[in-house]
Amino acid sequence: MSLREVFAFPEVVNDYAARGPAGLVVPLAGATILAPPPVQVWLAAALVVGFALRVAGGPRYSPFGRLSVHVIAPRVSSTPKLVAGAPKRFAQTIGLVMSSVALGLFLAGLSTAGAVVLGVLVAAALAEAALGFCLGCWLYAHLQRVGVVSDDSCVECADIWARPGMTARS
C-alpha cells in the first residue's frame, strides 16, 4: 500500500456519517472550554488528534469517524446521502487548524482566547451536526468561485445550493 493510499480521503462520503463527528466534537469542545486549565490542554490535544486523524484518512483512523460510520449514520438513515469528500476534508482541516490554535493558546496560558476559538469551532460543528450546514463546504464553494480551488476538484461543490433539497440564501 502506497503512502498516497494510506492517507486517501474518500471522494464521496455519506453526509449523515460526516455529521456524526461534528456532533461528537460539540460536547468535547464544550467540555474543553469549561475544564480547568491543566485539563483544557489534554482535551484540546484530543480534539487536535481527532481532527488530524480525520484529515489523514476520513473515518478510517478516527474513533469519532468509525463510530459515526458504523453506529450513528445507520441509525439516522438506512439510505446514505452521498456528498463530495473534498469539501468535507477541507472542513476537517479548518477544524484541525482551529483546534491547534486553541491548544497553542491554552499552552500559552491564554485560556480565554483558546475558549473563544473553540466557541467558534463549536458553532460551526453544531451547524453541521444539527442543521446539515457545513461552513467549511460553504467556504470551499466560495474559494472555487474565486479561483483559489479549481472547479474540477469538485464539480458538485461549485454551487452547493444547486443540490437537491437546498434553497438559495441571500
Side-chain angles (χ1 to χ4, degrees):
M1 184 178 269
S2 73
L3 195 56
R4 180 179 214 132
E5 291 170 326
V6 169
F7 294 112
F9 196 91
E11 288 184 29
V12 177
V13 299
N14 179 354
D15 191 52
Y16 301 121
R19 290 170 69 176
L24 296 168
V25 162
V26 170
L28 179 55
T32 305
I33 292 168
L34 298 173
V39 178
Q40 277 181 328
V41 171
W42 290 104
L43 293 176
L47 280 168
V48 170
V49 168
F51 278 111
L53 291 172
R54 288 187 294 282
V55 168
R60 182 182 314 135
Y61 306 121
S62 164
F64 280 3
R66 304 287 290 185
L67 179 65
S68 185
V69 166
H70 298 292
V71 178
I72 297 170
R75 285 180 171 73
V76 171
S77 176
S78 59
T79 306
K81 178 182 173 187
L82 300 178
V83 297
K88 296 297 184 183
R89 187 178 214 175
F90 181 75
Q92 292 295 329
T93 303
I94 292 170
L96 174 59
V97 169
M98 291 182 72
S99 59
S100 296
V101 167
L103 176 59
L105 290 167
F106 291 138
L107 287 169
L110 302 169
S111 293
T112 302
V116 169
V117 171
L118 286 186
V120 174
L121 180 65
V122 166
L126 191 56
E128 167 77 359
L131 305 174
F133 176 75
C134 175
L135 183 60
C137 300
W138 177 84
L139 181 58
Y140 188 93
H142 277 47
L143 291 172
Q144 260 190 327
R145 283 194 194 111
V146 298
V148 174
V149 176
S150 72
D151 286 339
D152 63 350
S153 66
C154 180
V155 176
E156 179 186 337
C157 309
D159 186 3
I160 64 170
W161 304 117
R163 292 181 188 162
M166 298 300 284
T167 57
R169 298 193 179 141
S170 49

